[in-house]
Amino acid sequence: MIHHIKIHGLLKNYRWFIFIFSLWLVIGQTKAKGQSNSLNFTDSTQTLLSKSHPNTIPYSSDRTFVEHMLAFPSYVFEWATKPIDFGLKVTERKLPQLLQGERGPYGIFPLFELGGNTNFAYGFLAFHNEISKYHHELRLTGIFGSEDYNNFEFDYTIPKFLNEKGRFKIDAFYGNDPSISLFLGNNSNIKDRLLYSTEKVQSNLRYSQSFKKNIHFSATTGYYLLNIEPSIFDEETLSDATKGTPIPASLTGTASMLSAGTMITFDLAKGSPRINTGSRYSFGLNWQHSLDDNDHHFLEYTAEWNQFVPVFFLPNTRRLAFKGTLRKAESLAGSSIPFFEEPSLGGASDLRGFSTNRFRDTGSLLLTLEYRYPLWSFADIVLFMDEGQVFNHYSDITLKRFHTSYGGGLHFLSAKGFAFRGEYAFSNESSRLILSINHNF
Amino acid sequence: MDRKLSLTSILGNKLINLFSISLLFILMGCSTSKPYTLGPIKTFDPDTSRIPEPQENESFQYWDRIDNTIFHQISKPLDLNNTVRVTGRILGISTKKQADNINHLDEVPESSWYNYRHFYSPMLIEEIARGPNTVSPDTSGLWTIFSAKLEGANPGFFIEDVNGNRFLIKFDGTNYPELATSADVIGSKIFHAAGYNVPEATITYFHPEKVIIADGVMVEENGEKRPMTQQDYNKIIKNRTTGNKGNIRALASKFVDGTPVGQWEFKGTRKDDPNDRVAHEHRREIRGMRVISSWLNDTDRRDANTMAVYTDEGYIKHLVQDFGNTLGANGGGIHEPIYGQAYLIDPRFMALNAVSLGLYVNYWETIDAQNYIPHPSVGYFRSETLNPGNWVSVHPLPAYENMTLRDAFWGAKQVMSFSDKEIAAIVKTGKLTSPLAEEYLTKVLIERRDKIGKHWFSRINPIDKFRAAVKNDSLVLSFSDLGIDGKFFNATDTKYEYSVWIEDGKHLIDNQNVLDPEIKISLSDNYFREKSPIVIGYKVITRRAEESISEKATLVYVFLEKNGPRVVGIER
């Protein structure tokens, strides 16, 4: 039976071949070519007498019918890319600043967010870096996924505030998120996930000042109002990976918080757009106090060390990058620390293979080691390993309690430095794709 | 199960058959008819017929780069003509598609794109140095700015001098005086002598106070148009290279005759030009231009740096322009070491970098260009780093990608046609104030020329300029060995093995050797006279002492008729 079908198939192909070959002979070989192909010995006399001088017959690249057929897939592809061609040309003609990236004085970019609770969210980033003759900077960001998931951000920066190296920034934020995970402690089980939703309004004032080239100081004060409710998602509407139970009613309610903080960074790292060598040290303090009936009053301190070490026998674009981060919140005067302000691990910038906020306690310790090497001038390949744990007391910290995450990805660079990263991270619990415009370190 | 298997088999068979048939078509397409003509040799491609004036096509800075870098690369394997040909090449049964506009002598006829100049009819050294120039801007009177560009890499303006001649005025970058302007002039002279149409370009020194702004000149800044001010002018000329008495050095590029109608592209044809029949990626003069570009490190060659002009005679003339990114210059700055070595986005090296985990170090990563700039006015321009076979422009160009060995040989012939003295004369027109810089630039150009010549003349049989004559009752086929003319090989280490046959395939001479580039056949035998007119075929292989040299054959066809012999076909 198979044999029969094969023979039949070949016979059909043979007919097809004859048909195409005939077509090729009839149509394909009749193409007009500037250079006459009919010259041969037998008609040489006629050719010499011909009135058609070759200089009067133009060359041509005409394709035969068969050649067109063979090129058809490429034609389809070219037609399919026409809208990109058209769009890019219109953009260059009408909105050339868009194609200059943030080099241009102003622009607007579309934003898309895939995945998460709403699967798809869209929005925009608009900026203007030359407002007034003092070159104030404005940035507006909006992301809309649904009525329950959206956020809007406004930043206004006054450069050269008070002095050449001073900057003053006002920012405001409104957003809500229908499902945030809460895990308590370093040994929490993935099945112990609690879920809550938030609606938040926040505003901050920030003054930053650089001293010399590598000492940066900032002071921030802010206020926010946060409303916490059980997640609107129930277990049935969530996937296995995000299933959880609503938080108890005792944890819901509204919090009104005032904060004030300061941070100082000693930036001894070198290289542009890639940071190749040197180190960076940051120390921060943040005080928060509730303005309502909640008795929240605490201080959080942060210390971070970044070290960049070139691989010794290779150009310094191949380097190891290390980050160590310690965060600890301490309650003041017997008050409490709200769970949503406790340090957590798991997310796009720390234990990357775990889900967001996977581990939470009053302290966190994170160690990250990355090997970065250039894919090309505008991109690095990054292989990384994260080790982290949360703790309540420093004495809780042990080697055994570290959680491990590892992965790799690409960091895209602009002339100014980091621009965008795409990473894939793994852990013993889960894996995740990270696409972010925020630098890790 | 059987049914599934049989369907798979049928599908597989069909795919194999489709591929086989495609391969057959391509290979049949590769086969050529007679490789010679008994008629006149085509020396002109008539693409200058009068056509209606076309609309100006807009020049875009991004699309051609993105298209050629990404979409064109994806499209190539989808064109089965190309894929099957590549497969055939891997199997050793096919070659790259040759150019569509080559005559039976393997040369490019003249056209609206190309003119026979130095290689074909050696120009006087003064003619080469003069290039396309007919007039310089008159600096004795006032210049009137009638248009200006404030932003971008090269701010400049357009002026009209007292004689009514119009010029584009461009400047050097502030850190590299004389670099961009000299590169622009030198590049245009070389391209002109090589046969291309280029705008006139000259170095000029003008007094900054002898320039006025015409009424109504608008400039664009931050996306907004406004009238040009004296401050704008001052800003453009600030910190520019100066000469005697505070005169400012600039490049003056004369407006071309005719009406500019946009750019031409490195692939396809222009739809509104009925004269444009040969796909640009298959034009020999554009494919072979890659070799000339490699000589000058002309890395920014792309659609936006070309010009199409509707002439007074009513056809579109094609120009190559903007040589400010040649030699050591990259606009106002210098070339980076990667330029010429890899594309701006080069998947070949990216793949290598990725899989090697960073252990593979690209050569250009180890170079700090600042350590190789002997004079600011020559920028980063070296001969040691040139790899003629692998040279690439910053962005892929379909015509350059399609360059075959024959195209490269043609390009190398153009490059090698410039003598040391001619190169020095061209460099002088760049008006570098430092004699040492001038000397260095000349030296590097000569070294790069020789690297190109040696590279390409080692990969193909570099015999050319065939001449047939009857002398003392002998048919003499003489030729030039460009490898020896270029002093890459010794005449004493070279011999030419040849065979001769006539039309019915009858071999008259088999595998004889001569030491000089001249092959004689006695005509005393009445055989030729009886057969005349007759085509005589020669197969010539150049044998060198060096083992590494390619020994490919060149076939030459001579038509012997009453009026005497003439070369009617060359196959490489």
Side-chain angles (χ1 to χ4, degrees):
Chain A
M1 180 63 184
I2 296 171
H3 184 65
H4 172 73
I5 289 173
K6 275 187 175 173
I7 291 172
H8 184 63
L10 281 173
L11 198 62
K12 277 172 71 179
N13 285 335
Y14 174 72
R15 285 176 184 156
W16 184 54
F17 173 78
I18 295 291
F19 171 72
I20 297 284
F21 183 66
S22 306
L23 204 63
W24 181 73
L25 283 176
V26 173
I27 301 171
Q29 296 308 294
T30 54
K31 64 178 178 178
K33 277 277 183 184
Q35 196 67 52
S36 169
N37 288 334
S38 62
L39 300 171
N40 55 45
F41 286 113
T42 52
D43 67 357
S44 62
T45 314
Q46 288 173 13
T47 305
L48 287 172
L49 294 174
S50 170
K51 289 176 184 174
S52 281
H53 193 285
N55 284 1
T56 65
I57 306 168
Y59 285 126
S60 162
S61 292
D62 291 345
R63 276 182 158 173
T64 63
F65 175 75
V66 172
E67 286 171 331
H68 279 301
M69 292 294 286
L70 291 172
F72 189 71
S74 66
Y75 294 162
V76 172
F77 179 76
E78 282 165 23
W79 292 329
T81 58
K82 283 285 175 198
I84 302 174
D85 172 0
F86 177 76
L88 204 67
K89 286 176 176 172
V90 169
T91 307
E92 183 175 339
R93 194 185 304 130
K94 303 287 183 191
L95 299 163
Q97 286 79 12
L98 281 188
L99 298 172
Q100 294 172 23
E102 295 206 28
R103 287 175 298 163
Y106 56 85
I108 183 165
F109 294 102
L111 293 178
F112 299 101
E113 200 173 278
L114 298 173
N117 295 316
T118 54
N119 293 324
F120 179 72
Y122 57 90
F124 66 94
L125 161 68
F127 68 93
H128 197 309
N129 293 331
E130 293 180 6
I131 294 177
S132 83
K133 64 179 181 179
Y134 301 108
H135 288 200
H136 291 189
E137 298 161 13
L138 173 68
R139 178 181 288 258
L140 297 171
T141 311
I143 285 280
F144 187 85
S146 71
E147 285 182 10
D148 302 305
Y149 176 65
N150 51 65
N151 57 66
F152 304 92
E153 204 167 341
F154 159 90
D155 289 353
Y156 191 85
T157 305
I158 303 171
K160 299 182 182 176
F161 187 76
L162 298 180
N163 59 63
E164 194 69 20
K165 292 182 177 177
R167 285 171 74 84
F168 183 71
K169 180 178 165 188
I170 305 167
D171 67 65
F173 171 85
Y174 169 80
N176 51 35
D177 194 326
S179 181
I180 301 176
S181 298
L182 171 61
F183 295 95
L184 292 173
N186 194 58
N187 298 320
S188 58
N189 193 296
I190 188 72
K191 292 175 183 170
D192 298 334
R193 183 195 305 264
L194 298 173
L195 292 171
Y196 65 98
S197 64
T198 62
E199 183 176 18
K200 188 177 189 181
V201 181
Q202 182 171 15
S203 182
N204 294 303
L205 303 176
R206 175 187 163 104
Y207 176 74
S208 54
Q209 176 73 51
S210 294
F211 301 97
K212 298 186 177 176
K213 278 185 181 174
N214 42 27
I215 302 175
H216 310 288
F217 166 82
S218 68
T220 308
T221 183
Y223 168 82
Y224 69 77
L225 184 64
L226 177 70
N227 185 40
I228 294 180
E229 299 289 339
S231 171
I232 62 165
F233 295 119
D234 56 34
E235 286 203 41
E236 290 174 5
T237 57
L238 294 169
S239 66
D240 288 343
T242 55
K243 245 174 199 158
T245 53
I247 58 168
S250 59
L251 294 178
T252 62
T254 304
S256 173
M257 303 287 289
L258 180 69
S259 68
T262 181
M263 176 163 274
I264 187 162
T265 301
F266 300 91
D267 190 353
L268 307 172
K270 291 175 185 168
S272 177
R274 292 180 168 88
I275 297 170
N276 300 328
T277 60
S279 40
R280 190 187 291 137
Y281 310 94
S282 297
F283 304 97
L285 270 180
N286 188 32
W287 167 89
Q288 289 198 43
H289 197 296
S290 53
L291 299 179
D292 51 20
D293 295 339
N294 293 311
D295 186 21
H296 299 319
H297 189 196
F298 65 96
L299 187 70
E300 184 187 51
Y301 50 87
T302 307
E304 183 169 313
W305 169 35
N306 302 158
Q307 186 70 46
F308 304 91
V309 184
V311 177
F312 68 95
F313 57 91
L314 292 169
N316 66 5
T317 47
R318 284 85 170 155
R319 69 277 189 205
L320 294 170
F322 169 78
K323 177 172 84 166
T325 309
L326 174 72
R327 292 177 67 198
K328 186 79 175 78
E330 302 280 1
S331 62
L332 296 174
S335 299
S336 63
I337 305 168
F339 72 89
F340 49 83
E341 285 293 353
E342 285 181 348
S344 68
L345 290 177
S349 301
D350 36 56
L351 276 178
R352 283 168 274 189
F354 289 93
S355 58
T356 306
N357 301 323
R358 175 64 185 82
F359 306 101
R360 190 189 290 272
D361 210 328
T362 58
S364 70
L365 175 65
L366 175 76
L367 304 173
T368 288
L369 184 65
E370 294 189 346
Y371 172 51
R372 300 174 179 173
Y373 66 95
L375 172 69
W376 205 238
S377 57
F378 56 82
D380 274 340
I381 293 178
V382 178
L383 305 174
F384 61 82
M385 178 175 271
D386 304 322
E387 296 281 346
Q389 61 180 286
V390 294
F391 56 89
N392 192 21
H393 302 287
Y394 284 108
S395 57
D396 296 341
I397 299 172
T398 65
L399 280 176
K400 283 185 179 176
R401 296 181 82 246
F402 275 109
H403 297 284
T404 303
S405 159
Y406 55 91
L410 286 174
H411 287 191
F412 292 92
L413 308 163
S414 69
K416 291 177 181 174
F418 172 82
F420 173 79
R421 68 188 159 108
E423 296 169 343
Y424 205 87
F426 302 88
S427 71
N428 58 0
E429 276 184 7
S430 56
S431 62
R432 66 188 291 173
L433 175 69
I434 299 163
L435 301 173
S436 176
I437 55 172
N438 295 317
H439 202 359
N440 191 357
F441 67 103
Chain B
M1 185 64 182
D2 278 354
R3 184 172 175 77
K4 276 186 185 173
L5 271 176
S6 59
L7 286 172
T8 313
S9 311
I10 292 165
L11 192 64
N13 280 339
K14 283 193 171 175
L15 285 174
I16 291 166
N17 286 341
L18 176 65
F19 193 77
S20 306
I21 291 167
S22 304
L23 184 62
L24 182 67
F25 284 154
I26 296 296
L27 295 178
M28 291 178 85
C30 293
S31 66
T32 56
S33 54
K34 295 292 181 191
Y36 51 81
T37 176
L38 301 187
I41 298 292
K42 187 176 174 73
T43 53
F44 177 72
D45 189 23
D47 65 349
T48 53
S49 303
R50 180 171 284 278
I51 60 165
E53 183 171 340
Q55 291 271 316
E56 179 174 355
N57 63 11
E58 269 189 271
S59 174
F60 292 97
Q61 290 293 321
Y62 297 97
W63 172 246
D64 68 316
R65 291 190 262 187
I66 293 171
D67 185 28
N68 289 335
T69 300
I70 300 170
F71 299 120
H72 174 66
Q73 304 306 326
I74 298 171
S75 172
K76 274 194 295 187
L78 295 175
D79 182 346
L80 297 182
N81 294 290
N82 183 58
T83 305
V84 174
R85 197 178 280 278
V86 170
T87 309
R89 280 169 59 200
I90 293 167
L91 297 173
I93 53 175
S94 178
T95 57
K96 262 183 157 180
K97 177 177 163 52
Q98 296 296 341
D100 280 339
N101 66 331
I102 39 182
N103 64 20
H104 281 102
L105 299 187
D106 202 26
E107 293 291 349
V108 186
E110 291 188 294
S111 65
S112 65
W113 298 77
Y114 188 73
N115 315 279
Y116 288 148
R117 292 206 181 103
H118 190 42
F119 172 75
Y120 299 96
S121 176
M123 297 161 70
L124 295 173
I125 206 161
E126 298 79 18
E127 291 173 325
I128 293 173
R130 186 166 60 244
N133 295 357
T134 57
V135 64
S136 298
D138 188 335
T139 52
S140 62
L142 279 179
W143 285 4
T144 306
I145 295 176
F146 62 89
S147 181
K149 178 185 157 201
L150 295 183
E151 297 176 320
N154 299 305
F157 45 76
F158 298 89
I159 62 107
E160 187 172 301
D161 69 6
V162 286
N163 301 320
N165 290 316
R166 293 184 157 202
F167 297 88
L168 162 65
I169 303 296
K170 293 197 290 186
F171 301 92
D172 293 303
T174 50
N175 294 329
Y176 298 95
E178 303 179 355
L179 176 59
T181 51
S182 60
D184 220 317
V185 167
I186 292 167
S188 75
K189 299 284 170 65
I190 287 175
F191 267 77
H192 176 263
Y196 297 90
N197 300 314
V198 297
E200 297 184 27
T202 184
I203 304 288
T204 187
Y205 285 85
F206 68 96
H207 197 283
E209 289 176 7
K210 283 189 171 179
V211 179
I212 57 170
I213 303 167
D215 291 339
V217 176
M218 302 295 284
V219 289
E220 190 169 331
E221 193 171 38
N222 297 336
E224 290 172 11
K225 285 191 174 176
R226 58 172 176 76
M228 185 180 183
T229 63
Q230 187 64 33
Q231 285 73 30
D232 295 327
Y233 169 70
N234 293 339
K235 196 174 164 186
I236 292 173
I237 63 168
K238 190 179 175 185
N239 296 330
R240 299 300 183 184
T241 313
T242 51
N244 292 335
K245 300 175 186 172
N247 286 350
I248 296 174
R249 176 186 167 108
L251 173 85
S253 182
K254 188 174 180 290
F255 273 41
V256 294
D257 294 334
T259 309
V261 287
Q263 60 189 20
W264 53 263
E265 297 176 357
F266 279 82
K267 68 174 176 184
T269 53
R270 186 172 174 138
K271 300 292 177 275
D272 57 359
D273 180 5
N275 286 326
D276 195 11
R277 299 177 182 90
V278 179
H280 304 169
E281 70 271 27
H282 297 312
R283 297 196 75 97
R284 160 68 61 84
E285 67 273 43
I286 305 180
R287 290 172 165 207
M289 195 164 86
R290 177 175 177 173
V291 177
I292 302 166
S293 288
S294 73
W295 183 25
L296 304 182
N297 211 21
D298 175 25
T299 54
D300 197 32
R301 189 56 45 209
R302 56 193 169 92
D303 298 356
N305 290 331
T306 66
M307 195 196 316
V309 174
Y310 184 69
T311 62
D312 297 339
E313 292 78 23
Y315 66 90
I316 293 181
K317 190 175 179 179
H318 303 88
L319 288 86
V320 185
Q321 66 166 357
D322 205 341
F323 303 95
N325 288 54
T326 60
L327 311 179
N330 187 38
I334 58 166
H335 269 143
E336 292 179 22
I338 190 175
Y339 288 179
Q341 312 283 338
Y343 294 122
L344 198 63
I345 298 174
D346 201 319
R348 302 168 302 169
F349 291 103
M350 290 165 80
L352 191 58
N353 293 344
V355 299
S356 73
L357 297 176
L359 295 176
Y360 178 80
V361 180
N362 298 292
Y363 145 79
W364 55 85
E365 291 183 77
T366 62
I367 305 282
D368 181 353
Q370 293 298 333
N371 294 335
Y372 295 91
I373 301 176
H375 311 277
S377 57
V378 297
Y380 180 77
F381 189 51
R382 303 168 67 193
S383 59
E384 311 89 283
T385 55
L386 173 65
N387 184 342
N390 292 332
W391 184 91
V392 289
S393 47
V394 170
H395 306 284
L397 298 173
Y400 282 14
E401 287 179 322
N402 286 345
M403 184 179 79
T404 63
L405 191 54
R406 283 165 59 189
D407 299 328
F409 176 62
W410 179 88
K413 287 193 303 188
Q414 312 301 319
V415 170
M416 287 305 302
S417 69
F418 291 87
S419 70
D420 293 1
K421 281 185 179 172
E422 288 160 354
I423 291 171
I426 291 172
V427 169
K428 242 184 176 20
T429 64
K431 294 186 179 174
L432 298 173
T433 47
S434 162
L436 290 175
E438 202 172 273
E439 195 180 307
Y440 174 84
L441 192 52
T442 305
K443 174 176 151 283
V444 174
L445 276 168
I446 290 169
E447 288 170 355
R448 287 177 74 101
R449 176 202 64 188
D450 291 346
K451 272 189 113 167
I452 286 167
K454 179 153 192 186
H455 177 90
W456 294 114
F457 292 172
S458 300
R459 279 158 181 76
I460 196 168
N461 191 0
I463 54 176
D464 199 54
K465 299 184 178 176
F466 294 92
R467 299 164 298 275
V470 173
K471 292 178 190 170
N472 303 326
D473 218 17
S474 288
L475 175 59
V476 180
L477 177 69
S478 56
F479 50 89
S480 298
D481 183 337
L482 302 184
I484 290 175
D485 293 352
K487 299 187 175 65
F488 306 126
F489 312 111
N490 290 323
T492 51
D493 294 335
T494 302
K495 63 182 178 182
Y496 307 97
E497 183 185 300
Y498 68 96
S499 302
V500 181
W501 71 96
I502 53 174
E503 76 256 37
D504 59 4
K506 180 183 175 185
H507 271 238
L508 300 178
I509 302 168
D510 270 329
N511 301 331
Q512 295 294 307
N513 290 300
V514 287
L515 296 177
D516 296 319
E518 194 172 86
I519 298 169
K520 290 180 187 167
I521 305 173
S522 171
L523 297 177
S524 56
D525 187 344
N526 279 335
Y527 179 82
F528 290 105
R529 291 198 167 81
E530 286 166 12
K531 287 270 187 181
S532 178
I534 188 174
V535 173
I536 303 168
Y538 295 76
K539 178 181 175 184
V540 186
I541 299 175
T542 304
R543 306 259 186 222
R544 313 274 191 206
E546 293 103 309
E547 287 180 356
S548 61
I549 303 304
S550 172
E551 294 183 337
K552 289 177 181 163
T554 299
L555 305 182
V556 185
Y557 301 90
V558 174
F559 186 41
L560 185 60
E561 55 179 334
K562 285 178 188 172
N563 298 334
R566 60 192 175 94
V567 177
V568 291
I570 295 171
E571 273 191 296
R572 293 193 166 90

